[in-house]
């Protein structure tokens, strides 16, 4: 009987064992594609689709509907696709913020006002969460740059970002999405531009005028009557005029008449 050497058998067993270990090694195991959530690091085309971003949490339905009906979302998506530098910042109010508006408020707005309302929530620049304290007020929005009408005042302090429109004061409550060209933040209230609330002209009421004080005349002493000096005719007439004076005993002649009578009497006597 022929005896076989155990060496070939042992060698064959070792090779089979090594092959089995190699097949189970993690380094040679097939790599599975990791499942990644919708995060700011995505570079897929969906990252620039604002509608996809806002529907992730199902909290911005009203704001998204306004962006679609005004067709602003198409403009923004096109801008993000072709953008090379800079970007956009969206301040998105949740559905609960719209419930704080007066009943039927959105229905009172014209199509142009609805567009301006949505534009008022978009900044034409990319603002990272660490860059709010570098902004200079007032901050311009897509709604325009009318002073005090469609601009924002942004104050960043201690990690909190406060936003004021002149009509509404609110804060940024969180980051919804951010990449190198687009930032979407959640705000606590709907931002209402002051342009929607024109300042009424104040009627200036004139102060009541007091009636004039009565004029009191100071009593004055009567002026002495002015004596008119007699004229030359009056003076000559007074020397010859005989003025009879009536007395209780009859008529009495006064003045120069006695002198005339005396002369007549002397002539009568022949003197």
């Amino acid at each position: 009987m022929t005896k076989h050497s155990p060496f070939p058998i042992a060698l064959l067993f070792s090779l089979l064992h090594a092959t089995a270990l190699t097949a189970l090694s993690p380094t040679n195991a097939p790599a599975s594609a990791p499942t990644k959530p919708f995060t700011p690091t995505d570079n897929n085309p969906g990252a620039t689709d604002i509608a996809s971003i806002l529907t992730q949490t199902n909290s911005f339905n009203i704001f998204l509907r306004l962006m679609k009906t005004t067709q602003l979302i198409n403009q923004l998506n096109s801008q993000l696709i072709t953008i090379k530098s800079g970007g956009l910042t969206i301040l998105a109010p949740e559905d609960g913020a719209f419930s704080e508006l007066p009943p039927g408020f959105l229905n009172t707005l014209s199509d142009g006002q609805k567009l301006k309302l949505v534009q008022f929530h978009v900044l034409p620049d990319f603002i990272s969460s660490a860059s709010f304290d570098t902004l200079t007020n007032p901050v311009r929005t897509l709604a325009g740059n009318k002073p005090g009408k469609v601009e924002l005042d942004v104050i960043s302090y201690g990690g909190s970002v406060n936003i004021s429109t002149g009509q509404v004061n609110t804060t940024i409550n969180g980051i919804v999405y951010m990449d190198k060209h687009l930032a979407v933040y959640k705000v606590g209230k709907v931002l209402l531009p002051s342009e929607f609330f024109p300042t009424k002209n104040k009627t200036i009421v004139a102060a009541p005028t007091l009636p004039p004080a009565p004029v009191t005349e100071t009593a004055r002493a009567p002026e002495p009557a002015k004596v008119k000096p007699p004229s030359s005719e009056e003076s000559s007439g007074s020397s010859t005029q005989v003025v009879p004076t009536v007395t209780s005993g009859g008529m009495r002649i006064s003045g120069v008449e006695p002198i005339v009578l005396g002369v007549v009497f002397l002539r009568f006597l022949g003197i």
Side-chain angles (χ1 to χ4, degrees), residues 48 73-83:
T48 57
I73 193 167
N74 298 332
Q75 173 188 341
L76 298 181
N77 282 333
S78 299
Q79 184 175 346
L80 290 171
I81 292 174
T82 59
I83 198 168

Side-chain angles (χ1 to χ4, degrees), residues 9-257:
I9 298 175
L11 179 60
L12 179 61
F13 180 80
S14 298
L15 292 175
L16 292 174
H17 181 69
T19 302
L21 290 178
T22 302
L24 297 176
S25 174
T27 58
N28 293 325
S32 60
T35 302
K36 296 192 301 180
F38 195 80
T39 62
T41 59
D42 287 340
N43 293 319
N44 55 69
T48 57
D49 183 7
I50 298 175
S52 299
I53 296 172
L54 294 178
T55 54
Q56 291 298 309
T57 60
N58 197 31
S59 300
F60 305 100
N61 299 310
I62 299 177
F63 183 65
L64 179 58
R65 184 169 68 246
L66 285 172
M67 294 190 76
K68 289 181 177 180
T69 55
T70 58
Q71 299 183 0
L72 179 63
I73 193 167
N74 298 332
Q75 173 188 341
L76 298 181
N77 282 333
S78 299
Q79 184 175 346
L80 290 171
I81 292 174
T82 59
I83 198 168
K84 300 300 181 182
S85 62
L88 298 171
T89 300
I90 299 176
L91 306 173
E94 294 184 295
D95 295 338
F98 284 92
S99 64
E100 298 180 6
L101 295 175
F105 175 79
L106 294 179
N107 295 331
T108 64
L109 301 179
S110 64
D111 292 341
Q113 288 177 320
K114 289 179 182 178
L115 175 60
K116 185 152 291 187
L117 176 64
V118 181
Q119 290 174 329
F120 195 54
H121 291 76
V122 182
L123 309 183
D125 298 297
F126 171 76
I127 310 297
S128 67
S129 57
S131 301
F132 280 101
D133 56 354
T134 64
L135 296 178
T136 301
N137 291 318
V139 178
R140 186 168 60 93
T141 67
L142 281 188
N145 56 355
K146 295 180 181 179
K149 298 295 184 180
V150 287
E151 296 174 326
L152 301 175
D153 286 330
V154 179
I155 300 176
S156 177
Y157 179 77
S160 176
V161 180
N162 300 321
I163 300 176
S164 175
T165 71
Q167 297 293 330
V168 176
N169 296 319
T170 187
T171 58
I172 291 180
N173 296 333
I175 301 174
V176 180
Y177 175 85
M178 186 178 297
D179 60 23
K180 60 181 179 180
H181 293 304
L182 175 64
V184 182
Y185 298 96
K186 177 173 61 177
V187 292
K189 294 182 179 180
V190 179
L191 305 178
L192 300 177
S194 296
E195 188 180 64
F196 287 5
F197 305 90
T199 304
K200 296 181 179 180
N201 295 329
K202 296 182 179 179
T203 303
I204 301 176
V205 180
T209 56
L210 299 177
V215 180
T216 55
E217 296 184 357
T218 305
R220 294 181 298 177
E223 296 181 357
K226 295 181 181 180
V227 179
K228 182 179 180 181
S231 60
S232 57
E233 295 179 356
E234 291 175 349
S235 299
S236 59
S238 61
S239 60
T240 57
Q241 183 178 8
V242 177
V243 180
T245 301
V246 179
T247 62
S248 59
M251 181 179 292
R252 181 175 62 88
I253 299 174
S254 61
V256 297
E257 288 77 2

